[in-house]
Amino acid sequence: PEKIEACAVLSTGADIKPTVKTDVKYFVGIGIYDDERFRNDAEIFYQGVKELNMPVEYKKYPIGHEISHEEIEDVISFFERVRNKV
């Protein structure tokens, strides 16, 4: 975390819940038609980040287990805002 400023988590496939507060900013994206396991994992990760009061953006997309053009644009925009301190 000391070397990472931001991270995009898309359709996470692991039951990971952050337990230590860091300065990392997160973008979490998930398809609403993705497998239930991936949707649940994304929600667990998002809630863990939120509980630690870390910056997080969470967005659901009308897709399955793929990455849409809209999601790519949102991730790029997220990293640009982080880089520009917006």
Side-chain angles (χ1 to χ4, degrees), residues 39-57:
R39 292 192 320 267
N40 289 341
D41 289 347
E43 186 67 28
I44 289 167
F45 186 86
Y46 167 67
Q47 289 300 327
V49 173
K50 211 169 123 180
E51 287 170 11
L52 292 170
N53 293 315
M54 293 188 292
V56 61
E57 294 181 31

Side-chain angles (χ1 to χ4, degrees), residues 39-77:
R39 292 192 320 267
N40 289 341
D41 289 347
E43 186 67 28
I44 289 167
F45 186 86
Y46 167 67
Q47 289 300 327
V49 173
K50 211 169 123 180
E51 287 170 11
L52 292 170
N53 293 315
M54 293 188 292
V56 61
E57 294 181 31
Y58 184 43
K59 189 162 181 188
K60 297 178 181 180
Y61 298 89
I63 57 175
H65 193 68
E66 66 260 4
I67 299 175
S68 69
H69 185 70
E70 178 186 6
E71 193 171 18
I72 292 169
E73 288 178 352
D74 289 345
V75 169
I76 291 169
S77 175

